[in-house]
Amino acid sequence: MSESNKGTLFLIPNVLGPGTADGVMGNQVRELIEQLDMYLVENVRTARRYLRELGIQRSIEELHFSVLDKKTRPEQVSELVGPLKHGVDIGVMSEAGAPGVADPGAKAVAAAHKMGAKVAPLVGPSSFLLALMSSGFNGQSFAFHGYLPIDKGARQNAIRRLEKDLEHSGQTQMFMETPYRNDQLLADIISTGKSNTLLCIAADLTTDSEFIRTKPLHKWAKQKPKLHKRPTVFLIGR
């Protein structure tokens, strides 16, 4: 079957904070959701809420939602994207930001490519790109590491390794943490890194409480922001 006979896997960006859809989402996303019947999402309840925030005119009860999360097995992913083979379009929706980036939606994208279906990313907010743009760091060479280890010792070793990579190559190093562990991560960065290492903290991006600052670690040590339960991207650079 040729690609033209298959459906398209649309990658639908989500907001980074509630109540921000009007400011960050364009008409492309709003027009698409009026056409799609099938969605792969991490959480059905929050996906429905997001569609309502976008102002969908269709009945949400008529739409089909399937869960695609970190626990979804490869054989299940193949089944979830199976309708693409029959010309059915499917939307992949992240819990926040761009699907497929530090997100289980990448599994569906890989499966779609394997079957030769078209993948179409839509424009919307990406927390790590917004953080990089506003950090003042090297935007030509950078690495996004997703989540650092939970174990304190392993996390500290990871921070040291990223700092060495920065010193060796000048490559901006980006990472994140589950929001309720942000304060612990910040404390480890400050205690583990070198005092003059530059750290950018980008929290609550695109929202009214947005916070973006770049300072050396010795200055962060004197005045640490409260980041508990605030979606945050951390960057070290020069």
Side-chain angles (χ1 to χ4, degrees):
M1 184 179 293
S2 67
E3 180 178 304
S4 60
N5 297 114
K6 295 184 174 71
T8 297
L9 188 73
F10 289 97
L11 307 182
I12 303 171
N14 203 333
V15 293
L16 298 177
T20 60
D22 285 345
V24 301
M25 289 301 170
N27 290 334
Q28 182 190 32
V29 174
R30 299 176 192 277
E31 292 171 359
L32 179 67
I33 63 171
E34 299 294 345
Q35 308 298 322
L36 287 179
D37 296 317
M38 297 190 66
Y39 293 88
L40 304 182
V41 302
E42 287 186 77
N43 183 292
V44 174
R45 182 179 179 183
T46 55
R48 289 172 179 265
R49 184 185 305 136
Y50 174 49
L51 291 180
R52 291 190 184 97
E53 184 178 346
L54 286 173
I56 188 171
Q57 299 299 307
R58 302 176 60 193
S59 170
I60 294 180
E61 284 66 32
E62 296 176 357
L63 305 178
H64 180 76
F65 296 89
S66 295
V67 173
L68 173 63
D69 58 21
K70 62 182 180 181
K71 297 179 181 178
T72 307
R73 299 188 302 273
E75 63 272 17
Q76 292 175 307
V77 176
S78 297
E79 182 177 343
L80 290 173
V81 301
L84 292 172
K85 296 179 181 179
H86 307 291
V88 178
D89 295 335
I90 301 175
V92 178
M93 193 182 299
S94 176
E95 279 289 271
V101 181
D103 172 78
K107 300 177 183 179
V109 176
H113 282 305
K114 188 174 182 179
M115 72 167 62
K118 181 180 178 180
V119 175
L122 276 64
V123 176
S126 168
S127 60
F128 90 87
L129 282 178
L130 291 171
L132 179 63
M133 289 164 57
S134 53
S135 67
F137 295 155
N138 187 350
Q140 295 278 15
S141 180
F142 53 90
F144 178 59
H145 300 276
Y147 296 89
L148 296 190
I150 296 175
D151 176 77
K152 185 178 180 67
R155 186 167 62 240
Q156 291 175 328
N157 286 336
I159 293 168
R160 294 187 186 98
R161 184 174 63 253
L162 296 181
E163 195 174 50
K164 287 182 179 179
D165 289 344
L166 168 64
E167 293 172 352
H168 175 72
S169 66
Q171 184 182 66
T172 301
Q173 307 293 315
M174 299 182 285
F175 47 95
M176 57 197 299
E177 180 55 281
T178 302
Y180 68 84
R181 288 197 291 260
N182 279 336
D183 289 340
Q184 296 95 312
L185 175 57
L186 177 58
D188 282 340
I189 296 170
I190 292 172
S191 65
T192 304
K194 297 180 180 180
S195 63
N196 288 326
T197 293
L198 290 175
L199 171 68
C200 176
I201 298 174
D204 293 337
L205 291 165
T206 74
T207 72
D208 291 340
S209 58
E210 181 177 81
F211 174 89
I212 307 170
R213 295 286 188 281
T214 295
K215 296 190 292 187
L217 292 183
H218 69 86
K219 290 190 175 181
W220 282 120
K222 296 177 181 178
Q223 189 175 18
K224 295 192 289 288
K226 298 296 183 182
L227 301 173
H228 185 61
K229 293 186 177 181
R230 300 174 68 184
T232 303
V233 179
F234 300 87
L235 309 87
I236 59 172
R238 65 187 188 196

